[in-house]
Amino acid sequence: MEQAQYKQLVASIEGLTQAQLDELRQTLRQRQEADGVQRLLMARMAEQGSCPRCQSTRKYKHGTEFGSQRFRCRDCGKTFTATTGTPFHRLRDKAKLLENAACMADGLSVRKTAARMDISVQKAFRWRHKFLAFLNQQKPSALAGIVEADETFFPVSYKGQRKAMPRPPKERGGKARDGSGTDKTAVVVAVQRGTQVAFD
C-alpha cells in the first residue's frame, strides 16, 4: 500500500462508529492469529522437511490446501502439507487454532469456547478432542536425567457404560474419598527436570 493511501486509511478510522471499530479490531486480530498459525505451520514443515510417506526430502511447492501451503514429493508423487498425518489435516479455519489453544489453557468449557470463537458447540467439541489427540501423540517414549513424578487419583467414571457395572445404574459416584481404592484410578505424571518434557 502506498504511503498516501495508508495515511488516508488511518484518517478514515476517526469516522468509524464503535460497532465498526469492534469489527475492525476483530478482523485485525484474526489476521494476526492467521499469520501466527502460518508461521507455526511453515516452521513445522522446515523441521519435518521430508515427505511423510516416503521420507524423501525432494519436494516442491504445489498450490494450497485450505489456506496452507501444499507440497509434492518428487520421488513418490504424493502431495502433502505441514499437517499431513496430524489430527489437524484438512481442518478449516486454521486461523483460529491459536485462539482455541488459548481457550483450553484458560480452562474454558466447550460452550464458553464456542461463544468466544463464534463457532458451534459441536465444532468446539471436535476441535478440543483434535487438540487432545495431538497432545497425546507428543508424549516421549522415555525420560532421562533427573525425573520428578507424582500421582493423582481420580474417581472411576462409568459414563456411557450400560453393562458389567460394579454398582447399580443411575447411582451417582459422589465425592471421591481420600486415598486409593477400587473406585479410583491413578494417573502418574513424570517431568524431566529443567525441560518441558512430560509423560503421563
Side-chain angles (χ1 to χ4, degrees):
M1 178 180 287
E2 297 292 337
Q3 188 68 19
Q5 293 177 330
Y6 173 73
K7 289 183 178 180
Q8 185 179 1
L9 176 63
V10 173
S12 64
I13 294 179
E14 298 296 331
L16 297 179
T17 64
Q18 186 60 41
Q20 291 172 333
L21 286 173
D22 293 339
E23 185 177 352
L24 177 61
R25 191 179 298 113
Q26 176 75 6
T27 303
L28 292 175
R29 185 170 59 85
Q30 289 178 354
R31 173 67 182 273
Q32 184 177 10
E33 291 177 351
D35 293 342
V37 169
Q38 288 301 322
R39 284 195 300 271
L40 290 175
L41 291 178
M42 294 312 295
R44 173 179 169 81
M45 192 69 248
E47 180 183 352
Q48 182 180 355
S50 61
C51 174
R53 295 177 176 84
C54 67
Q55 308 306 318
S56 172
T57 57
R58 300 176 64 242
K59 64 181 185 297
Y60 60 93
K61 292 183 179 180
H62 188 69
T64 59
E65 181 183 69
F66 298 116
S68 299
Q69 180 64 55
R70 184 171 58 176
F71 299 90
R72 181 182 289 277
C73 177
R74 293 184 184 275
D75 292 335
C76 67
K78 299 292 185 179
T79 61
F80 59 93
T81 65
T83 57
T84 299
T86 70
F88 305 118
H89 185 55
R90 298 185 183 276
L91 187 69
R92 298 177 186 270
D93 295 332
K94 289 186 177 67
K96 296 184 178 181
L97 286 176
L98 293 179
E99 186 178 2
N100 186 43
C103 291
M104 292 180 63
D106 293 342
L108 297 183
S109 65
V110 174
R111 292 186 181 277
K112 290 181 179 179
T113 300
R116 177 186 288 188
M117 296 175 57
D118 194 24
I119 59 177
S120 66
V121 175
Q122 292 79 5
K123 188 171 185 176
F125 180 83
R126 290 196 308 271
W127 276 34
R128 175 159 300 189
H129 284 271
K130 283 180 181 292
F131 266 77
L132 295 176
F134 183 72
L135 292 175
N136 199 38
Q137 293 178 1
Q138 307 306 307
K139 292 182 181 179
S141 57
L143 299 176
I146 300 176
V147 176
E148 300 177 8
D150 194 12
E151 75 280 349
T152 304
F153 292 93
F154 294 95
V156 178
S157 175
Y158 298 100
K159 186 174 182 178
Q161 186 172 338
R162 297 180 179 274
K163 297 180 180 179
M165 290 180 59
R167 57 173 172 77
K170 298 187 181 300
E171 180 181 323
R172 305 303 181 217
K175 185 177 180 181
R177 296 187 296 275
D178 294 335
S180 61
T182 57
D183 59 340
K184 289 193 176 184
T185 181
V187 176
V188 180
V189 179
V191 180
Q192 186 173 322
R193 183 179 290 180
T195 67
Q196 295 183 348
V197 179
F199 180 81
D200 65 82

